[in-house]
Amino acid sequence: MARNALNFSLPKTLIAARNTLGRRSKTRNSLRKSDDVHKSTNALLKTQYGLSEEDYRQYGVKHNLLPSHLGDTNSFKLDTDSIYIDLQKCSAYNIASIVKTMPEAVFDALPEGPCGDVVKDIALLPEGQPLGIVNRKTAVEIISQLKQYAAAGDGRIASRGMLLDGKRGTGKSYVLNHVAMWARQNGWMVVMEPSPSKYAKEIGSIKRSNAGSEFAVKFLETMLLANEEKLQMIHVKLPCYGRIALDGNHISYTKRMFNGLIERAIKEELEIFVEEGNTDALECEKERLKLWHSYRQQFKIPVLTDALPSPKTLAEIARFGVENETYANQAVYEIFDQLKHQTQFPLLIVIDEYNECFSPSEYLSIKYDNTKFNGWIPSYHLAMPRLFSKFDGEQYRNGKSYARTHIICRTETHGNMLDAN
């Protein structure tokens, strides 16, 4: 009896369709009939009785079929005071609330262009309707950190920066826009690049593995548009000025590129020197040093001090780069090098599409044949993407004074990143 009383079988929630050799089973016929009855009943309620959602709730509450609070019509109205907030009032207590802003205000705050698909979202909005930016937890945490750094006396930041990673559509770019707009409203100097991929994907002139300087000119123009007042107030530190070559590298690194050529020339000169009867090793070494010094003096690396000897402010360097396309890359690198030594403004560098700085570009070079790039120049070997690929927030300092600097980069989990191995 006890064995028959215990039943551990699962309830039959699924009805399997039998193999009836083409004939429909009675069970499936009954299910189809019940669905038809349900649909016809709903149609009857809508047409003959005309029940609305409000009438349905009132009827349910009256007959104790629904909770009593559903009978209050005001319970379904949005509390705009708690849902919509101001940008400056974003905190941990109102996460998931919405910051309403007009599209014109977004473009005014971000003249470089917003990150991500914000422009597409704005294009889909009806005319005159504001754009909603969700107050995400990540944005609140970043803003909280920036507030602490700005309030600190020295503003020291030991880390290189922050890296936002995640799948497409999770709101990373909106977080960058949110933080950049907040920083601009609170007196931060924001250097923003919403689309580094354009430097590698859009075709321009190329010189010595550097994508055309016209891209650097456009970057300087937008940088002046967004930060001209602050750039005008930051004075150039002349001891740190004029150390960047045309390709953006430090001048000492660029000089080393000619060492192989100089060594071959010296070797040929020494062979002639020995053939003339000078076999003493000490004399040959002295001659080698003389030749090395002579050839080194002949190689002159163009620097910005040749064309712009003593600029007063960073805005002057930026304008010079805009007006002289040849020196545009140098001007961009010189400005970033000077920003490492300024302590006048808290500095925030925002880079979207960070993973695009490491993907193969659309430029071909024989130098990269028989490599893993298959002839394509990697993006981080081009001038502008190489600048944005540097995750070096800890270098923005000046002796004991630390610029309140932070770098925020955004990438995607399924981005087109190259294998580091």
Side-chain angles (χ1 to χ4, degrees):
M1 295 294 294
R3 182 180 299 176
N4 295 332
L6 296 176
N7 185 8
F8 294 98
S9 61
L10 295 174
K12 297 180 180 180
T13 56
L14 298 177
I15 301 176
R18 299 178 181 178
N19 187 7
T20 56
L21 300 177
R23 295 176 296 174
R24 192 178 298 275
S25 65
K26 296 181 180 180
T27 306
R28 295 182 66 183
N29 281 330
S30 61
L31 289 175
R32 188 184 64 173
K33 290 180 181 179
S34 63
D35 291 340
D36 294 340
V37 172
H38 178 70
K39 292 179 181 178
S40 61
T41 304
N42 287 339
L44 182 63
L45 288 173
K46 291 181 180 179
T47 55
Q48 185 172 355
Y49 296 97
L51 285 177
S52 63
E53 184 179 356
E54 178 65 25
D55 296 334
Y56 173 78
R57 286 201 302 268
Q58 296 296 338
Y59 178 85
V61 171
K62 181 179 179 181
H63 294 276
N64 296 325
L65 299 176
L66 295 175
S68 58
H69 70 274
L70 294 180
D72 185 8
T73 57
N74 295 326
S75 61
F76 296 93
K77 293 183 179 180
L78 294 177
D79 186 5
T80 56
D81 295 335
S82 60
I83 292 180
Y84 300 109
I85 60 170
D86 186 71
L87 182 63
Q88 298 296 331
K89 296 181 180 179
C90 293
S91 65
Y93 299 100
N94 49 28
I95 290 177
S97 55
I98 299 174
V99 178
K100 287 199 304 184
T101 178
M102 298 303 296
E104 296 80 8
V106 175
F107 292 115
D108 291 340
L110 306 174
E112 305 93 341
C115 301
D117 296 332
V118 176
V119 177
K120 296 180 181 179
D121 296 340
I122 292 176
L124 296 175
L125 289 175
E127 186 177 358
Q129 182 172 338
L131 176 70
I133 300 177
V134 179
N135 183 30
R136 291 176 170 84
K137 179 182 177 182
T138 306
V140 172
E141 291 176 346
I142 295 175
I143 291 175
S144 176
Q145 291 290 322
L146 296 181
K147 286 181 179 179
Q148 295 180 43
Y149 293 139
D154 55 0
R156 178 174 180 175
I157 299 177
S159 64
R160 294 183 176 183
M162 295 183 182
L163 179 65
L164 302 183
D165 187 26
K167 295 183 178 180
R168 181 177 178 84
T170 54
K172 302 181 298 298
S173 296
Y174 267 93
V175 170
L176 297 185
N177 294 325
H178 186 177
V179 174
M181 292 173 64
W182 174 89
R184 283 242 166 92
Q185 290 187 10
N186 287 271
W188 285 63
M189 180 177 178
V190 180
V191 179
M192 188 173 179
E193 178 48 65
S195 180
S197 60
K198 63 186 176 186
Y199 301 110
K201 304 302 181 184
E202 297 181 8
I203 303 300
S205 60
I206 184 169
K207 300 175 183 178
R208 294 186 66 249
S209 296
N210 290 305
S213 300
E214 61 268 21
F215 297 126
V217 171
K218 293 179 181 178
F219 177 79
L220 289 172
E221 290 175 348
T222 56
M223 190 176 185
L224 281 171
L225 187 62
N227 301 290
E228 184 173 9
E229 183 179 354
K230 291 182 172 59
L231 291 174
Q232 190 68 37
M233 298 173 64
I234 300 176
H235 295 279
V236 177
K237 296 185 180 298
L238 293 179
C240 305
Y241 174 68
R243 303 185 301 182
I244 306 298
L246 280 173
D247 55 359
N249 289 316
H250 196 276
I251 189 172
S252 60
Y253 174 81
T254 306
K255 285 182 178 180
R256 291 200 300 266
M257 298 175 62
F258 298 97
N259 288 346
L261 181 61
I262 294 176
E263 288 176 357
R264 287 195 296 269
I266 291 176
K267 183 179 179 181
E268 295 177 359
E269 292 284 348
L270 287 178
E271 290 177 354
I272 298 174
F273 184 75
V274 172
E275 290 176 357
E276 293 177 353
N278 301 305
T279 57
D280 187 17
L282 181 60
E283 293 296 328
C284 290
E285 186 64 21
K286 290 181 179 179
E287 183 66 19
R288 190 185 70 83
L289 292 176
K290 291 179 181 179
L291 290 172
W292 184 271
H293 179 72
S294 175
Y295 280 116
R296 176 61 73 188
Q297 294 297 322
Q298 296 179 25
F299 281 93
K300 182 173 177 59
I301 307 298
V303 292
L304 206 57
T305 52
D306 299 335
L308 189 64
S310 55
K312 301 297 182 182
T313 62
L314 297 189
E316 188 175 347
I317 299 177
R319 295 192 193 98
F320 180 81
V322 172
E323 296 170 358
N324 301 271
E325 184 178 320
T326 305
Y327 296 95
N329 283 329
Q330 274 182 298
V332 173
Y333 274 82
E334 286 285 359
I335 290 175
F336 272 78
D337 191 52
Q338 290 289 324
L339 289 176
K340 293 180 180 180
H341 304 282
Q342 70 87 26
T343 56
Q344 191 168 357
F345 296 103
L347 175 63
L348 178 66
I349 301 175
V350 179
I351 302 171
D352 199 9
E353 298 181 355
Y354 182 66
N355 53 311
E356 294 295 336
C357 296
F358 302 92
S359 60
S361 68
E362 296 294 329
Y363 297 92
L364 284 169
S365 175
I366 193 173
K367 177 182 176 181
Y368 297 91
D369 285 343
N370 300 321
T371 65
K372 64 179 180 179
F373 306 109
N374 295 323
W376 302 99
I377 302 176
S379 298
Y380 56 88
H381 285 186
L382 303 174
M384 294 301 292
R386 183 173 68 248
L387 174 64
F388 298 122
S389 66
K390 297 179 180 180
F391 205 55
D392 55 354
E394 80 285 355
Q395 295 184 9
Y396 286 75
R397 59 187 181 183
N398 181 15
K400 295 183 179 179
S401 299
Y402 289 82
R404 295 182 288 274
T405 305
H406 216 85
I407 296 179
I408 302 178
C409 300
R410 167 261 183 192
T411 182
E412 291 184 5
T413 301
H414 300 290
N416 188 19
M417 298 188 69
L418 293 175
D419 187 2
N421 297 325

